[in-house]
Amino acid sequence: MRFLIIGGDAAGMSAASRAKRKNPDLEVIVLEKTRDVSYSACGMPYNIADPERDMDELVVRRAEVFIEKNNINLLIGHRAERINTGSKTVSGDTLDGRPFSFSYDFLLIATGAAPVMPDLPGFDLPGVMPLKNLEHGRAIKDFITKNKVKKAVILGMGYIGLEMCEALRERAIEVDMVKPRKPFLPWLVPALSEVVYNEVVQNNVRLYAGSSVKKIISTDRGLSLECDNITLETDMVIAASGVTPCSKIASEAGLETGVSNAIAVDFQLRTSDKTIYAAGDCADAVHVVTGKKCWIPLALRANRAGWAVADNVCGTETRLDGVAGTSVFRVFSLEVARTGLNMKEAEENGFDPVENTIKTRSRAHAHPGSTTIYVSMVGDRTTGRLIGVQMVGQEGVAHRINAPAVALHSKMSVQAFAQCDLAYAPPFSPVWDPMLTAANQLLKKI
């Protein structure tokens, strides 16, 4: 039996490795269009911040290890272009132009997501680059060094954009950030968003929210961005306006797509063709709070989904219940985290949401080094159910968000969460952990 996989990063290689462990006699072929497999894309901004680090440090396992140790037929530089569901074949071309075609018994589409690049004049100029894969990371780092970059413009103010603004400032590069919509972080509670905004500005980053780029032109001094109400001169531009699922090969094969044009899958990661699976950033999921389909591209889901596909292909039926959208990022001295729904999302999904925001301490009040933590918690007035949590602070945020994430997966009420036995010691928390204080205060409103 042949298990064919399109895409050799998180979901694809997780599926390939697990399938060979479970069934060593299974023929596993992986088609990867780039030269890189199994790497930590999330670590790229931190690597770019340090000119002495090699980008290849982010490679978790090299292609030859999968080939020699795991006996996986990993074919790099192979771009899959077409799926024929009738003949059960995948065809495409190698990077040097040679055509190929492989048959399959089971197929996994793990094509990931692609950076959004506006269809505007100048986005094909040298020095205008996205950051999504390791090739992008190498190109950015190489461009900074070779061109002695002093100024950069980042398009977008999301997770990657904010991590990159910190990385560039670490290298003494001036940074301007531009985005078309006015709110700085629209998904974050305004009080918490203001804290993050002030942190970024205090680190000498200029923010231009509510300004759309019209075009980029090349000048004698570098690049010039013409926006709605401002012109920015720069040495390089990093496009960080988000990503979109790479689902074209699936939709052209007649497979169903859904929310955000991601490939529609069931709880076993099967597509509308039951011999074809999809996993990772190209596929949708079910949100554990709403019970509805969503598209939230996250690394843990990609790896977990790859494992589940391998189990199902090898005959062990495995189901993934869904995601809560739990995420965290760092920008300068702040940790920013969320799980579940905010007020707007809760209202749009038919809840009767109640929100409360608190400002408290990361450690016991008399313990040195204590810093401020902001927590916003949302519950449902009708059922009392916990719906979502957001946090911002200098410490104690990144791992604290995991407690409400577990509560969301367990469909706990705010009252039940307020009764949880959370750890206490003065260096780590007040007696009443910020999570418990937030829950107790929200209960009063509910």
Side-chain angles (χ1 to χ4, degrees):
M1 187 170 71
R2 176 179 286 175
F3 180 28
L4 183 62
I5 299 170
I6 305 173
D9 195 15
M13 295 318 299
S14 292
S17 300
R18 190 173 179 91
K20 288 298 288 186
R21 285 196 300 271
K22 292 180 74 71
N23 184 357
D25 295 328
L26 179 67
E27 182 185 9
V28 178
I29 301 175
V30 181
L31 308 174
E32 168 54 43
K33 66 181 181 179
T34 72
R35 301 291 185 187
D36 301 299
V37 296
S38 188
Y39 56 89
S40 175
C42 301
M44 288 191 292
Y46 308 105
N47 184 286
I48 290 169
D50 185 353
E52 302 305 316
R53 288 181 62 190
D54 192 312
M55 189 62 67
D56 283 354
E57 289 181 16
L58 299 177
V59 175
V60 178
R61 180 176 281 192
R62 298 188 180 279
E64 54 267 25
V65 177
F66 287 106
I67 296 168
E68 296 167 6
K69 183 177 179 180
N70 299 90
N71 197 27
I72 294 168
N73 188 4
L74 171 56
L75 303 173
I76 58 175
H78 282 59
R79 182 186 296 274
E81 300 283 0
R82 292 165 297 279
I83 300 169
N84 187 319
T85 57
S87 62
K88 297 181 73 172
T89 57
V90 173
S91 57
D93 297 286
T94 63
L95 291 181
D96 57 7
R98 291 178 291 111
F100 65 80
S101 180
F102 292 96
S103 62
Y104 63 84
D105 294 294
F106 289 101
L107 173 66
L108 167 60
I109 304 171
T111 44
V116 174
M117 292 294 284
D119 185 18
L120 293 170
F123 275 81
D124 57 347
L125 289 171
V128 182
M129 293 171 282
L131 179 62
K132 182 64 176 70
N133 59 43
L134 218 53
E135 289 180 348
H136 297 149
R138 292 190 191 100
I140 289 172
K141 201 163 188 178
D142 188 56
F143 189 89
I144 291 172
T145 301
K146 286 183 177 179
N147 294 276
K148 296 181 174 58
V149 170
K150 299 298 182 185
K151 293 182 179 180
V153 173
I154 298 173
L155 304 181
M157 300 180 190
Y159 297 7
I160 300 301
L162 290 169
E163 288 174 347
M164 275 305 300
C165 86
E166 178 184 352
L168 296 175
R169 291 299 298 134
E170 188 73 19
R171 297 187 65 164
I173 295 171
E174 293 182 31
V175 177
D176 295 316
M177 300 185 76
V178 180
K179 71 169 204 160
R181 291 195 298 165
K182 270 283 186 186
F184 171 59
L185 290 172
W187 53 268
L188 196 58
V189 174
L192 277 62
S193 178
E194 184 179 0
V195 174
V196 183
Y197 180 94
N198 291 337
E199 175 74 7
V200 174
V201 170
Q202 286 165 13
N203 279 275
N204 298 312
V205 176
R206 293 177 291 270
L207 302 177
Y208 300 98
S211 185
S212 297
V213 177
K214 298 304 181 184
K215 63 180 178 179
I216 305 173
I217 60 174
S218 181
T219 70
D220 293 340
R221 297 179 301 278
L223 298 169
S224 179
L225 279 77
E226 295 187 11
C227 306
D228 287 332
N229 46 18
I230 192 170
T231 298
L232 299 173
E233 306 295 331
T234 188
D235 299 320
M236 72 181 300
V237 177
I238 295 176
S241 299
V243 295
T244 186
C246 295
S247 57
K248 182 181 178 183
I249 193 171
S251 59
E252 289 182 345
L255 302 180
E256 290 181 11
T257 57
V259 58
S260 299
N261 207 36
I263 304 169
V265 295
D266 63 14
F267 287 108
Q268 283 79 32
L269 289 309
R270 291 181 298 233
T271 68
S272 51
D273 182 319
K274 300 312 175 188
T275 64
I276 302 177
Y277 295 80
D281 292 355
C282 64
D284 66 13
V286 172
H287 201 289
V288 296
V289 177
T290 67
K292 299 176 183 177
K293 284 295 190 81
C294 64
W295 181 64
I296 306 175
L298 293 170
L300 177 58
R301 167 72 180 193
N303 284 276
R304 179 177 283 145
W307 279 12
V309 170
D311 287 350
N312 287 314
V313 166
C314 293
T316 304
E317 186 166 320
T318 301
R319 169 192 172 104
L320 295 188
D321 289 335
V323 298
T326 310
S327 59
V328 63
F329 68 93
R330 189 191 75 187
V331 55
F332 299 107
S333 72
L334 292 179
E335 300 171 5
V336 185
R338 71 170 297 186
T339 188
L341 308 180
N342 60 27
M343 280 288 284
K344 183 174 183 290
E345 293 163 341
E347 289 168 350
E348 291 172 347
N349 282 280
F351 290 99
D352 181 15
V354 184
E355 178 184 63
N356 193 66
T357 300
I358 66 165
K359 176 181 176 182
T360 184
R361 308 298 294 173
S362 63
R363 308 180 188 183
H365 78 280
H367 195 86
S370 182
T371 59
T372 301
I373 281 187
Y374 298 85
V375 182
S376 178
M377 187 172 286
V378 181
D380 181 49
R381 191 190 309 273
T382 303
T383 64
R385 184 179 170 187
L386 181 66
I387 295 176
V389 175
Q390 301 178 349
M391 279 193 288
V392 172
Q394 292 186 355
E395 66 170 8
V397 167
H399 294 294
R400 215 173 231 119
I401 197 67
N402 291 327
V406 171
L408 294 180
H409 278 273
S410 301
K411 297 179 171 53
M412 291 177 69
S413 67
V414 177
Q415 185 169 10
F417 184 61
Q419 292 296 317
C420 284
D421 185 17
L422 303 185
Y424 159 67
F428 308 111
S429 172
V431 172
W432 289 95
D433 187 88
M435 293 289 89
L436 301 179
T437 301
N440 284 322
Q441 293 298 318
L442 181 57
L443 273 175
K444 296 176 183 179
K445 283 193 173 182
I446 290 178

